[in-house]
Amino acid sequence: MFTTFVGMAPGAADSSAPASPEAPQPPKPRPKRSQVARACDWCRVHRIKCDNHLPCSNCQKRRGQCSQGAIEVRTLPHAYRKIERLENRVRELELELEHERRGSKGVSIGLNTPLTTPPSMASCGGSGPETGSTFGPPSDHGNVERKRLEGIHIRATRSQQETWYGPSSLFYFIRRLNTFLNTSLRQARPINHMLPDSTNKLYDGPGQNAGKDQTHRSFPTPGSFSATEGDYLTPTQEEYFIGLFWQSYHTSIPVLDEVAFKEHYQSLWTTSGRERKPSALVDIVIALCVQYGVALQPGSGQGTGSAEIFKLDSHDATIAGRWHFQRCQSLLTSELENPTIFTLQCHILSTVYLCSGAFPNMSDSTCTLAVRTAFMLGLHVDPPPEMPQREREMRKRLWWTLFVLDSKISMKLGRPFLIDQADTTCGLPGDDREISTASGTILAPLGEDVTWLTFNIHNVKLFQTARTAYTAFYKKQLETPHVSTDDMSEEEEGKIIESHAEYLAPYVERMEDWVKNVPSAIKTKRQDGGVPFSTDCTALDIEQFASLWLQRQRLLLELMYHNLCINLFRPFIRFSAPSIPTPGADRLAAECAGHAIQLTRIMHQVLSSTSILTGWHEAFQWQWNAVMSLIGFVIAYPHDASTPEAKSAIDLTSAVFEIFGKSLASAASATAISRDLSAQAEMLTRSVSAEQELMPQKIEESPLTVGSWGASGDETLVSSNPTAVQTPSNAWSYDEGMGAPMHSMLAESMDMAFPMDQDFQMFPWLNMSGDPAIQWTYYQQQV
């Protein structure tokens, strides 16, 4: 059981015993077992050892999918991020599916009126390659060729170069009108004679300067010298114009924090109080208010009054404040790489200044710069919740004000939109009392949870609704297969025109729904029980003791609504029509005239009895847009039920332009053009009626169509034929043999001899419009 060890003397070992072994080695450490934080799903199910490889060795051997490396959602932030990624992926897949469906759908001209707005319509005109590939070649129309949408190249009043304008622009409609008059009267009148001219060419380009006072003016670099030296405004004058900003533009364009701006302005002044440091934001505010303030002064349009005070070398108030504007642009060059909120505010107000001055291309370019700056600052995404509420609301107001500017300019000029609503997640700003108080401007609430910020909310919603209708209408035009008007029968053309009118009907209802949702506190009441925002031609009941800013908000909202409706319905005013009845299209043309008549009546009442819109440059542009639409309607529909009211409104326009002429020099030119065109329309109507009475006509019985060529649905009859429905084609048709003497007589009476643009053909319905959402292209049959 026990072992006994016997000691032995050295060297006495038994010779037969084996030699003693070497001393034992220390044991080697056991290798550490490799650990994995979490085995993959397959190894865990089969209870085998996993490793840290990705994929693991077992999954590599079996050539299967390995879940190693997948992060399990264990916390709430991880879950939110996971949900966001999944939602983004779902949207991407839905968009791809929608593209595939549209690509295989083909193009038709049926009456497929959507009950809901497709995402591509609501996004309103992205210009990326995705939208450009949305529409594949239709399979049922043979070989097709993609071509750019037809527009016009024209030299505007302020420009020395011809630039492109799309089919929704007033320039395009004026070209249609001018072409019809030239063809009907056999005259050769250039289109530039139908555009109001300015008294000066001082400011034709952003880098052009003229005038005798240019020699001693230079524009600063940041920190170079004082902003009040030279011939610029004195501190007292600056204070006056800055104060004018809060009474005018601030409540309709809420892009500044009044408290923050005043603190910034005070920080610019030196200790002596005689000089202030340069500031681009202060300069553009002053420039904008000098432009408005000079127009407020009586006689500024004739070169008297404040024009001499501010050393203007012209009699045009639209370029007043240009030195501050140009200095602002010079100061902004150093902020292009490092933009701030101040930079964006400067770009927005610069765009407003250029729009008021009737510089369409410069305003478009400046708005583009503002949009890119907003994207750089991340305003298109919803502000983070940890940001202070005051700053969050300001960022939202900046973004949506920019959205309104982009929509207004793009639809006005017929050019692609810059902002795609599909790219933005920024919500609408708030307008409750708490947010209104925190905005930096303290104004009394209006009741019904309405504050001074409520106007901005409903103005944004108006442009959202109008922009959706605009995009849907021109998308419908784009989807119509291009066929030459020479190869199209009158019946086919009539069906296409009517289908467009029916397609637009649900979007018109959305515009009417917007009107119903506008709070009564920001609506101007009507006399005699009239309905606000309607075209019933009732007079306004202007609240006498309401604040000026509130009265202006009410008027601007209604006038903008009428102006957008004019632009939306104007394509249906056509100077030659198919023989078949098109009651839907005719009704929309009459609606265009109705909104233009109402806008003119409102403008005349307000300007002649109040000072709410005195010197408001954009109001003059609205009136010019309305009168040209009315003239086109009277010429196209000389015997329509709305024509007498339209003629009265055209005569009323002269009085409106005379009032504007006291402050705006271009109003005198607009008055002359409108009177001249009105005289042409009257002469043409009387001459055609006289010729028709002398000519033997074959009277054919035709059934009456309810609502044909009338706004109210009543039948409109030709005086010479009480059974025939009035159409533009039979209104202006006459025998060729009898037409030549009439042409000669009209040419002599009108005394017009100008070179005619030979490269422009008569306006075709199918080529007039397109969709900004898909790069402004359309399909044309290959010959």
Side-chain angles (χ1 to χ4, degrees):
M1 182 174 181
F2 297 100
T3 303
T4 303
F5 296 93
V6 179
M8 298 180 64
D14 187 359
S15 59
S16 63
S20 61
E22 297 180 359
Q25 297 292 331
K28 295 182 180 180
R30 184 176 181 179
K32 185 177 180 180
R33 180 183 176 185
S34 60
Q35 299 287 337
V36 292
R38 176 183 172 85
C40 71
D41 294 341
W42 192 86
C43 293
R44 188 168 63 255
V45 169
H46 292 80
R47 302 184 65 83
I48 60 177
K49 183 178 180 181
C50 191
D51 55 32
N52 289 321
H53 298 290
L54 184 64
C56 69
S57 302
N58 297 325
C59 292
Q60 285 182 347
K61 291 178 181 179
R62 66 183 183 88
R63 296 182 179 179
Q65 185 176 1
C66 181
S67 63
Q68 185 68 270
I71 301 176
E72 183 180 2
V73 177
R74 296 178 178 271
T75 64
L76 187 60
H78 287 172
Y80 283 148
R81 286 193 292 270
K82 184 70 173 180
I83 292 173
E84 184 179 2
R85 286 194 297 269
L86 292 176
E87 289 178 345
N88 292 336
R89 182 55 181 164
V90 168
R91 283 194 292 267
E92 292 175 0
L93 294 175
E94 289 178 346
L95 185 60
E96 292 178 3
L97 180 60
E98 183 71 15
H99 288 176
E100 291 295 331
R101 288 176 178 175
R102 290 179 179 273
S104 60
K105 188 176 183 181
V107 178
S108 64
I109 58 173
L111 307 179
N112 299 322
T113 303
L115 298 179
T116 58
T117 305
S120 57
M121 293 182 183
S123 63
C124 299
S127 57
E130 298 83 9
T131 54
S133 60
T134 301
F135 293 87
S139 58
D140 55 341
H141 292 286
N143 295 328
V144 294
E145 178 185 358
R146 298 187 64 181
K147 298 182 69 175
R148 293 189 177 277
L149 175 73
E150 178 184 340
I152 65 168
H153 287 81
I154 188 175
R155 182 176 61 83
T157 303
R158 301 282 193 180
S159 177
Q160 297 181 354
Q161 301 293 332
E162 290 187 349
T163 49
W164 187 89
Y165 298 91
S168 65
S169 64
L170 181 60
F171 293 110
Y172 197 92
F173 181 75
I174 291 176
R175 174 60 78 94
R176 290 176 52 202
L177 176 60
N178 183 64
T179 303
F180 177 77
L181 290 175
N182 285 342
T183 304
S184 300
L185 302 177
R186 295 185 179 178
Q187 64 184 16
R189 182 173 187 170
I191 189 175
N192 297 91
H193 287 260
M194 298 178 67
L195 303 178
D197 197 6
S198 176
T199 59
N200 70 89
K201 299 295 181 182
L202 173 69
Y203 209 19
D204 288 342
Q208 293 183 359
N209 298 316
K212 60 185 179 181
D213 58 344
Q214 294 291 321
T215 56
H216 65 276
R217 289 183 184 264
S218 59
F219 300 106
T221 57
S224 59
F225 56 83
S226 167
T228 55
E229 66 179 24
D231 291 336
Y232 292 96
L233 301 181
T234 64
T236 303
Q237 292 172 335
E238 285 193 358
E239 182 182 8
Y240 168 78
F241 286 111
I242 290 176
L244 189 61
F245 179 83
W246 311 117
Q247 304 171 25
S248 56
Y249 285 104
H250 178 58
T251 53
S252 59
I253 308 175
V255 296
L256 294 183
D257 186 314
E258 185 175 356
V259 174
F261 178 86
K262 290 181 177 179
E263 292 177 352
H264 169 68
Y265 181 69
Q266 292 297 327
S267 67
L268 299 175
W269 289 95
T270 60
T271 307
S272 63
R274 297 180 180 179
E275 296 179 352
R276 70 167 174 87
K277 302 174 184 177
S279 171
L281 184 60
V282 172
D283 279 341
I284 191 57
V285 169
I286 293 175
L288 192 60
C289 290
V290 168
Q291 184 188 57
Y292 171 61
V294 170
L296 280 176
Q297 305 300 320
S300 59
Q302 289 79 27
T304 59
S306 55
E308 297 298 329
I309 296 176
F310 297 108
K311 300 180 176 60
L312 295 181
D313 52 357
S314 74
H315 302 157
D316 193 352
T318 58
I319 61 172
R322 63 190 180 277
W323 307 123
H324 289 83
F325 170 79
Q326 291 182 351
R327 186 171 62 184
C328 167
Q329 305 309 305
S330 177
L331 293 171
L332 285 176
T333 55
S334 62
E335 301 181 19
L336 294 178
E337 187 61 32
N338 303 289
T340 63
I341 292 296
F342 275 17
T343 309
L344 177 61
Q345 291 168 332
C346 290
H347 290 318
I348 292 177
L349 295 178
S350 297
T351 304
V352 176
Y353 177 88
L354 293 169
C355 285
S356 300
F359 300 100
N361 295 321
M362 292 176 66
S363 61
D364 193 12
S365 300
T366 307
C367 185
T368 303
L369 186 58
V371 170
R372 302 312 300 176
T373 303
F375 276 111
M376 295 176 194
L377 298 175
L379 267 65
H380 60 293
V381 298
D382 212 37
E386 60 270 13
M387 183 179 292
Q389 183 189 45
R390 186 171 180 175
E391 186 177 350
R392 290 203 313 269
E393 292 299 320
M394 174 54 68
R395 292 172 67 92
K396 291 180 180 179
R397 287 196 293 271
L398 284 168
W399 174 256
W400 287 108
T401 299
L402 194 55
F403 170 83
V404 169
L405 277 178
D406 170 39
S407 303
K408 183 189 303 183
I409 293 174
S410 299
M411 291 189 290
K412 178 181 177 181
L413 304 181
R415 294 171 181 170
F417 296 111
L418 303 172
I419 296 177
D420 189 343
Q421 286 185 272
D423 296 333
T424 179
T425 60
C426 181
L428 290 175
D431 64 334
D432 55 34
R433 294 188 181 184
E434 180 183 356
I435 294 176
S436 175
T437 304
S439 65
T441 300
I442 307 300
L443 295 172
L446 307 177
E448 303 178 4
D449 296 328
V450 177
T451 65
W452 74 277
L453 293 173
T454 305
F455 164 85
N456 184 51
I457 301 298
H458 289 277
N459 192 42
V460 171
K461 291 181 179 179
L462 171 61
F463 274 93
Q464 286 180 320
T465 307
R467 182 164 162 165
T468 301
Y470 173 92
T471 307
F473 173 71
Y474 287 102
K475 184 180 293 293
K476 180 67 175 177
Q477 296 291 327
L478 181 77
E479 292 176 349
T480 303
H482 175 74
V483 181
S484 174
T485 54
D486 297 334
D487 300 333
M488 183 185 303
S489 66
E490 292 185 350
E491 183 177 357
E492 292 175 342
E493 184 180 359
K495 290 181 179 179
I496 291 176
I497 295 172
E498 189 66 10
S499 71
H500 287 79
E502 295 185 11
Y503 183 80
L504 192 59
Y507 299 97
V508 177
E509 294 178 359
R510 296 181 190 180
M511 297 284 288
E512 297 171 353
D513 292 338
W514 173 86
V515 173
K516 297 176 183 178
N517 294 327
V518 176
S520 59
I522 54 176
K523 286 183 178 179
T524 304
K525 297 179 180 180
R526 298 284 184 88
Q527 299 178 10
D528 303 325
V531 180
F533 289 82
S534 69
T535 57
D536 57 10
C537 295
T538 54
L540 299 179
D541 185 10
I542 301 175
E543 189 174 354
Q544 184 177 2
F545 298 107
S547 300
L548 181 61
W549 65 265
L550 177 58
Q551 292 177 337
R552 186 178 289 117
Q553 280 188 349
R554 291 169 175 173
L555 288 174
L556 292 180
L557 193 62
E558 180 165 358
L559 290 172
M560 178 55 72
Y561 167 75
H562 290 302
N563 183 69
L564 291 176
C565 289
I566 292 171
N567 294 338
L568 184 61
F569 302 147
R570 187 168 53 210
F572 292 95
I573 298 177
R574 55 200 189 279
F575 305 104
S576 61
S579 58
I580 66 172
T582 54
D586 307 336
R587 189 176 300 110
L588 291 180
E591 283 290 327
C592 174
H595 286 282
I597 293 170
Q598 188 64 59
L599 186 146
T600 302
R601 288 178 175 270
I602 293 175
M603 202 75 71
H604 180 263
Q605 179 184 354
V606 173
L607 289 174
S608 59
S609 60
T610 71
S611 60
I612 302 174
L613 296 179
T614 302
W616 202 262
H617 298 264
E618 191 174 21
F620 166 75
Q621 297 170 14
W622 293 338
Q623 184 60 71
W624 171 249
N625 185 55
V627 71
M628 293 305 294
S629 301
L630 284 173
I631 292 173
F633 178 81
V634 168
I635 292 176
Y637 305 89
H639 301 290
D640 187 81
S642 303
T643 300
E645 288 290 339
K647 291 181 178 179
S648 299
I650 293 174
D651 295 337
L652 197 62
T653 300
S654 299
V656 175
F657 284 150
E658 287 179 1
I659 299 175
F660 274 121
K662 297 177 182 179
S663 56
L664 302 176
S666 56
S669 175
T671 303
I673 293 173
S674 61
R675 287 176 176 174
D676 179 48
L677 293 177
S678 179
Q680 289 190 60
E682 187 67 22
M683 179 69 68
L684 190 58
T685 302
R686 292 178 180 179
S687 301
V688 172
S689 299
E691 293 294 332
Q692 289 179 345
E693 291 177 0
L694 296 175
M695 292 170 56
Q697 297 185 1
K698 180 180 179 182
I699 302 177
E700 298 181 356
E701 297 290 336
S702 60
L704 296 178
T705 304
V706 178
S708 180
W709 303 99
S712 61
D714 299 332
E715 294 82 7
T716 306
L717 306 178
V718 184
S719 58
S720 60
N721 184 3
T723 62
V725 179
Q726 174 65 30
T727 63
S729 55
N730 63 40
W732 295 118
S733 60
Y734 38 82
D735 187 60
E736 185 66 25
M738 299 294 296
M742 186 197 71
H743 286 311
S744 177
M745 180 267 295
L746 288 176
E748 293 176 0
S749 62
M750 303 307 294
D751 192 21
M752 296 176 183
F754 302 98
M756 181 178 179
D757 300 324
Q758 299 292 339
D759 57 340
F760 184 81
Q761 300 177 353
M762 288 296 293
F763 168 76
W765 173 265
L766 296 179
N767 298 345
M768 58 167 249
S769 54
D771 179 18
I774 44 182
Q775 295 294 318
W776 299 80
T777 59
Y778 68 94
Y779 297 107
Q780 184 179 26
Q781 295 287 347
Q782 287 184 347
V783 180

